[in-house]
Amino acid sequence: MARTQGSHSDITGPRVRAAALRLFAQHGYAAVSMRQIAREVGVQVGALYNYTPDKQALLFSLLKGHMDDLLEEWQAEQRPEASRARLEAFVRFHIRFNLARPEAIFISYMELRNLTPENFAVIEALRKRYEGALEEILRDGQAEGAFSVPDTRLASYALIAMLTGVNTWYRAGGRLSIAEVADIYWDMVRKAVSADDATGAPQPA
Amino acid sequence: MARTQGSHSDITGPRVRAAALRLFAQHGYAAVSMRQIAREVGVQVGALYNYTPDKQALLFSLLKGHMDDLLEEWQAEQRPEASRARLEAFVRFHIRFNLARPEAIFISYMELRNLTPENFAVIEALRKRYEGALEEILRDGQAEGAFSVPDTRLASYALIAMLTGVNTWYRAGGRLSIAEVADIYWDMVRKAVSADDATGAPQPA
DNA sequence: GTCTATATCTGGATAGAC
DNA sequence: GTCTATCCAGATATAGAC
């Protein structure tokens, strides 16, 4: 910081992205100025334009990189398994992945409307691909009779929302480890998609 | 629109709030200018300041009014019933209430960080009161043996997130009515909090 | 690659006439 | 209560020296 001259292209680029990610997550894209980002990096504002053509491209690059990571890591997780095991893997992967990068997750949900229409379409397509993976698991399990999920589309929306919600309250160093949280959520998911005999009827106390 | 003079305090006030709600929901608080709001209402910018001391107060007023409505309507819904019936009432109320005012719900989640710390504390306290109502239902049901929810705090977060997520995909005039959506979500919630015998063991196909 | 300086624009908010 | 005009701060982005 407070450096006044010199060339550091190798490290400045990542620092610009890191600063933008942090500031966008904290204050919101529209509320963050290029001056703020420059100050955080420790350069003058003009220098930022060596690394991004404009502010919009910076946001898009962060979101695109995040979605690419997500799809790549989920691909690497794939095993040929029964639906129930695949669903459990999805639940645990989603929670673990999201909690490892809360800022990227946050801007991925909050800043979609600040993308240009073209950029939005790209991100949206990737998001649908990921969420489609969950729906496919539910469809397969329903077909096999492992789950009782009459509307797999709605169920996939419901489960994604529930799992993603972990990021709104989880704080590292709290009462529960990530694995414990995943255990509890998996238990709820497992029951939510299961067949039971209590439909409508009151349960025995 | 395009009107150039005259006094309309009785109607301009609500129109300012309506325009702000719509624009904040669509573009985000930070991205919307007072000039845009004025244009939407059909007045000049200076006139807005007859109805709000500043832009921040306008946002706070919208969020506060929304939370007051929410808590008031939920109170009116209360009946002395068994936990299971109270949970069902919560699920149906939450979905119905949220789908009736998507813009207010949207800014209530997206614009919290654009409140001043004092204003944020007020809204946050009201939100906690509402979410606490759900947790209380879960605690009661757990104590009565009607539910199997080891961690009522986490379960309340999970269910709230799942239910609130409806607003991200539901569109009026689509395949399902609000009541049908509520039926499907209630079915998942009911199972998620129920006791079952499949813990860990694979189910018969 | 970074700096300083600047062009150009838009923002929130206010003053005073009507 | 609304309008017009304006202040002033801050925004994105660029130009040209080093």
Side-chain angles (χ1 to χ4, degrees):
Chain A
M1 215 103 25
R3 191 177 38 74
T4 49
Q5 285 284 6
S7 171
H8 297 271
S9 71
D10 49 340
I11 60 167
T12 304
R15 280 170 56 78
V16 169
R17 293 171 57 84
L21 176 63
R22 201 187 74 74
L23 290 170
F24 290 166
Q26 185 168 5
H27 305 291
Y29 171 79
V32 171
S33 70
M34 295 298 272
R35 281 177 172 81
Q36 269 179 279
I37 298 172
R39 197 181 319 131
E40 178 104 350
V41 174
V43 296
Q44 293 301 313
V45 89
L48 296 182
Y49 292 86
N50 289 312
Y51 301 96
T52 180
D54 52 34
K55 193 183 168 190
Q56 166 72 204
L58 190 48
L59 174 62
F60 176 67
S61 164
L62 291 173
L63 295 187
K64 177 67 161 59
H66 169 69
M67 292 308 299
D68 289 344
D69 289 351
L70 172 63
L71 286 167
E72 195 177 317
E73 291 209 23
W74 170 244
Q75 282 302 327
E77 193 92 352
Q78 296 309 314
R79 306 275 184 287
E81 288 176 310
S83 300
R84 187 189 153 103
R86 286 164 63 208
L87 181 59
E88 179 172 357
F90 186 93
V91 168
R92 295 186 185 280
F93 169 79
H94 189 86
I95 290 175
R96 173 165 38 82
F97 185 89
N98 281 17
L99 286 182
R101 42 183 73 65
E103 291 172 331
I105 295 296
F106 197 68
I107 67 170
S108 291
Y109 280 87
M110 304 286 276
E111 305 300 352
L112 289 176
R113 63 176 156 188
N114 286 311
L115 293 171
T116 62
E118 301 75 28
N119 288 341
F120 175 79
V122 172
I123 301 299
E124 193 64 1
L126 295 173
R127 192 186 60 76
K128 282 202 169 131
R129 193 185 305 173
Y130 177 67
E131 299 194 354
L134 172 58
E135 197 193 342
E136 192 185 326
I137 294 171
L138 295 177
R139 270 204 315 270
D140 290 352
Q142 174 75 7
E144 295 167 15
F147 304 149
S148 171
V149 183
D151 194 316
T152 54
R153 174 63 57 91
L154 252 68
S156 73
Y157 292 156
L159 297 183
I160 286 271
M162 177 171 142
L163 297 175
T164 303
V166 173
N167 277 55
T168 65
W169 59 264
Y170 185 86
R171 294 297 170 263
R175 166 167 72 90
L176 297 169
S177 71
I178 293 178
E180 287 168 332
V181 171
D183 288 344
I184 292 173
Y185 272 73
W186 164 236
D187 202 52
M188 287 188 284
V189 169
R190 178 183 59 72
K191 290 194 288 182
V193 303
S194 73
D196 71 6
D197 299 324
T199 316
Q203 289 149 321
Chain B
M1 215 96 36
R3 190 176 40 73
T4 49
Q5 285 285 6
S7 170
H8 297 271
S9 72
D10 49 340
I11 60 167
T12 305
R15 278 169 58 79
V16 169
R17 292 171 57 84
L21 176 64
R22 199 187 76 74
L23 290 170
F24 290 167
Q26 184 167 8
H27 305 291
Y29 172 80
V32 171
S33 70
M34 295 298 273
R35 283 173 171 83
Q36 267 180 281
I37 298 172
R39 197 182 318 133
E40 178 103 350
V41 175
V43 296
Q44 292 302 314
V45 125
L48 295 182
Y49 290 87
N50 290 312
Y51 302 96
T52 181
D54 53 33
K55 192 183 169 190
Q56 165 72 202
L58 190 49
L59 175 62
F60 176 67
S61 164
L62 291 172
L63 295 187
K64 176 68 162 56
H66 169 70
M67 293 308 298
D68 289 344
D69 288 351
L70 172 64
L71 286 167
E72 195 177 317
E73 290 209 24
W74 170 242
Q75 283 302 326
E77 193 93 354
Q78 295 311 312
R79 305 275 183 287
E81 289 177 309
S83 301
R84 187 190 154 103
R86 286 164 64 208
L87 181 59
E88 179 173 355
F90 185 93
V91 168
R92 295 187 185 279
F93 169 79
H94 189 88
I95 290 175
R96 174 165 36 84
F97 185 90
N98 281 17
L99 286 182
R101 41 183 74 64
E103 291 172 330
I105 294 296
F106 196 69
I107 68 170
S108 290
Y109 280 87
M110 303 287 275
E111 303 300 351
L112 289 175
R113 64 176 156 187
N114 286 310
L115 292 171
T116 62
E118 302 76 26
N119 287 342
F120 175 79
V122 172
I123 301 299
E124 192 66 358
L126 296 173
R127 193 187 58 78
K128 280 200 171 133
R129 193 185 305 172
Y130 177 67
E131 298 193 355
L134 172 59
E135 197 193 342
E136 193 185 326
I137 294 170
L138 294 177
R139 270 204 315 271
D140 290 352
Q142 173 77 6
E144 296 167 14
F147 305 149
S148 173
V149 183
D151 194 315
T152 54
R153 175 62 58 92
L154 253 69
S156 73
Y157 292 157
L159 297 183
I160 286 273
M162 177 171 141
L163 297 176
T164 302
V166 173
N167 277 55
T168 64
W169 60 264
Y170 185 86
R171 293 296 170 265
R175 167 168 71 91
L176 297 169
S177 70
I178 293 178
E180 287 168 333
V181 172
D183 288 343
I184 293 173
Y185 273 73
W186 164 237
D187 201 53
M188 286 189 283
V189 169
R190 180 181 58 72
K191 290 194 287 183
V193 302
S194 74
D196 72 5
D197 299 325
T199 317
Q203 288 149 319

